[in-house]
Amino acid sequence: MAKSKPLIIVGNAFEREQQLSKRAPMRVMWTRQELTQLLNIYGRQVGAGHWRDYAIDDGVDSACFSIFRRSSEVPLYCIDKTPALRRKQGQYCLRGASGQVLRRGHDLAALLNFFNRKNIRLVD
């Protein structure tokens, strides 16, 4: 009988990567402090009669807080949180109804100051 060589099992990085990819990805969601700031602004605007509904979406790469004038319409504003942009443009983004970026920032409170400005209207 011929001598058999011992079987050596080496950990395979490819298999490990496959196992990691099968796990559920982490979701991006708003923290308690961020939700408190968002809902404070939302409550003020509802009290003023400007807004009536909101939606919170979470995702793999971003989270979105959408604000509606009426629940059957498209969102009036969307506040996005994208942690991948934390070191670049800022992880928070305020978009208008048509998708244009109104503000970007690293701080949510500074971004929400957009809603604290006074609406000045001409009266005939």
Side-chain angles (χ1 to χ4, degrees):
M1 288 205 134
K3 280 184 154 180
S4 63
K5 294 183 180 179
L7 180 64
I8 299 173
I9 299 174
V10 178
N12 192 346
F14 178 73
E15 290 176 9
R16 193 170 123 218
E17 289 296 322
Q18 280 185 331
Q19 291 173 354
L20 289 175
S21 67
K22 289 180 184 176
R23 288 187 198 168
M26 292 185 57
R27 308 292 285 182
V28 175
M29 194 59 191
W30 300 98
T31 63
R32 183 181 297 265
Q33 292 84 11
E34 292 168 340
L35 276 176
T36 301
Q37 292 174 351
L38 289 168
L39 292 175
N40 282 340
I41 292 290
Y42 175 76
R44 262 189 262 140
Q45 295 291 336
V46 167
H50 299 299
W51 300 342
R52 293 196 180 184
D53 200 8
Y54 71 92
I56 299 175
D57 299 322
D58 64 333
V60 177
D61 56 348
S62 67
C64 182
F65 186 87
S66 302
I67 301 163
F68 297 87
R69 183 173 293 148
R70 291 180 190 81
S71 58
S72 63
E73 294 179 351
V74 296
L76 197 59
Y77 297 104
C78 291
I79 302 167
D80 295 330
K81 175 183 177 181
T82 310
L85 298 176
R86 184 181 305 131
R87 293 185 180 228
K88 296 179 183 175
Q89 303 165 350
Q91 67 178 344
Y92 302 107
C93 176
L94 175 64
R95 290 185 290 122
S98 61
Q100 76 272 19
V101 175
L102 301 175
R103 282 216 175 149
R104 284 192 186 275
H106 296 280
D107 185 29
L108 183 62
L111 186 85
L112 293 177
N113 282 337
F114 176 82
F115 299 113
N116 290 337
R117 64 184 182 172
K118 297 190 181 211
N119 293 332
I120 300 173
R121 297 181 184 166
L122 290 175
V123 178
D124 289 334

